[in-house]
Structure formats: C-alpha cells, structure tokens
Amino acid sequence: MFIAEKGIDIPAVEVDLRHEEQLGDAFRAVNPRCTVPVLELDDGSVLTESLAICHYLESQFPDPNLMGLDGQEQAMVIEWYERTVVDGFLAAAETFRNRAKGFKGRAITGPDAYEQIPQLVERGYHRLERYMEALDQRLGDSPFVALERFTLADIAAFVTVEFAGWVKMPVAETWPHIGRWHGVVAHRPSASL
Ligand SMILES: N[C@@H](CCC(=O)N[C@@H](CS)C(=O)NCC(=O)O)C(=O)O
C-alpha cells in the first residue's frame, strides 16, 4: 500500500509463503530472517523491516508525504504505527498463529520452529479488542489515525483491521468510528491491491 500510495514503480518478486518459499535456501540468501517484505537497495544493502523500508522510500520519494512533515508529525505517525503493530497486529498474529492448523510448529515467523501455545489464542484476541477500543476512541477525535490526513499509520491500522477479520473479529460492525474510517480507506486504490 505504501508503494502504491507513493506512485512509484519498484520491480517486485513474489515469495510464496503458503509453500514456505521464505524458508528455502534461495530466499535465506537474501534474508536469513525468512520474512517479507525485503527491499534490496542499489548498493546491495538489504532492509527487512517494514518501517525501515517505508522510512527509506519516504526519504527518496517525499511526495506524497506519508510519514509526517516535521518532528511532531513524524512522532505522531511513529506513535500510532508502533501502537498498531505491537498492540494490534502482533496480538492478531498471536491469536491466528497459535490457532490455525497450518501454523503448527510455525507459531512465530523466522527460521526457528516454535510450537503453538493454545492459551495465547484467547489472550491475543483480548489484546486485539483493547487495541480496537483505543483505535475507535482515536478515530472519534481524528479523521485519520495519526494526523488530519492519511499516513503510514492508516496503512498499518487498515492492515490490522483486515487481519482481525482472519480471527473472526467483526471490527467495522462493532466499533463505529473504525467503521467510518475503514469505509474511507477501503476506497483508496492502494487498498484494493
Ligand atoms: N517486523 C517485520 C515482520 C515481517 C513479517 O512478520 N512478515 C510476515 C508476513 S506479514 C512473514 O514474513 N511471514 C513468514 C512466515 O510466516 O513464515 C516487518 O514489520 O516487516
């Protein structure tokens, strides 16, 4: 979504996570952490964290601005990005990966095989609800998540709300302010990729 919002054209290589291509030798040679996304720079440097990738792209392609124009705006974007990833996305992942049969022995991303812990399913769901409550309150006060305009924080929150659907949490129906905002973001061309 970030790349689409920027309107930039970056050659992309799809990695078939369903068939564990990320664990194969070819991908490990690119990213030994066995996760996507990865951005390879022209000098051969490799970035393996979404936030680092977005930060780099923002520095190279400043328009449209997606990560804040001054220090205070940037801090707000990072504030909501981190809250969304830690309290929301990882909570959803905790529920999903500790429950789904397909993730047996793959409860955490990366090269190591971690077994599922069933107790984390409920805990993750509860944590995700707390995040959605906080997000709903925020969106009651602000048109978008971090600033008055669409930013990276909206992308992170949108992806997390979509992910919550995978653990059968009816977010847009339960939290009205999220429902209003979700309808707006879902209409952006970048959301239909
Ligand atoms: N902290 C990394 C997390 C990357 C990550 O966990 N990616 C998932 C896909 S969303 C992945 O690569 N999963 C591989 C797997 O499940 O083995 C980031 O924000 O970019």
Side-chain angles (χ1 to χ4, degrees):
M1 282 181 77
F2 192 90
I3 290 170
E5 290 283 344
K6 287 281 182 194
I8 48 186
D9 191 19
I10 297 181
V13 179
E14 284 198 19
V15 180
D16 187 350
L17 300 185
R18 241 178 240 281
H19 293 99
E20 300 194 332
E21 192 183 342
Q22 75 277 24
L23 302 178
D25 290 344
F27 188 74
R28 273 175 205 251
V30 177
N31 179 15
R33 300 176 72 210
C34 304
T35 54
V36 294
V38 172
L39 183 69
E40 280 185 330
L41 308 188
D42 290 342
D43 72 356
S45 315
V46 170
L47 298 174
T48 67
E49 283 292 329
S50 305
L51 185 57
I53 291 170
C54 293
H55 181 75
Y56 175 77
L57 293 176
E58 179 96 334
S59 73
Q60 301 299 305
F61 306 95
D63 295 319
N65 174 274
L66 291 174
M67 294 181 71
L69 287 168
D70 58 20
Q72 187 172 345
E73 281 195 0
Q74 289 163 4
M76 284 302 284
V77 172
I78 293 172
E79 165 86 10
W80 277 99
Y81 179 90
E82 279 292 287
R83 286 180 65 160
T84 297
V85 171
V86 176
D87 297 349
F89 188 86
L90 292 178
E94 194 168 84
T95 292
F96 188 65
R97 294 189 76 111
N98 285 288
R99 185 171 73 184
K101 285 197 187 77
F103 285 110
K104 266 188 191 309
R106 296 278 321 138
I108 294 182
T109 61
D112 300 309
Y114 288 103
E115 284 308 326
Q116 293 174 318
I117 301 175
Q119 294 91 325
L120 293 180
V121 173
E122 201 179 320
R123 192 184 80 175
Y125 196 89
H126 185 262
R127 289 177 55 217
L128 186 57
E129 284 181 322
R130 294 287 86 80
Y131 165 75
M132 292 302 173
E133 282 167 16
L135 181 66
D136 192 60
Q137 197 175 16
R138 172 69 182 163
L139 289 168
D141 296 335
S142 175
F144 291 98
V145 174
L147 304 177
E148 297 279 309
R149 62 177 191 278
F150 181 88
T151 67
L152 172 64
D154 295 281
I155 296 176
F158 182 77
V159 169
T160 300
V161 167
E162 296 297 293
F163 196 15
W166 293 22
V167 299
K168 310 263 185 291
M169 188 179 284
V171 176
E173 296 87 328
T174 308
W175 287 282
H177 303 301
I178 297 179
R180 185 265 314 153
W181 160 89
H182 184 266
V184 171
V185 176
H187 276 93
R188 299 179 79 89
S190 66
S192 57
L193 293 175

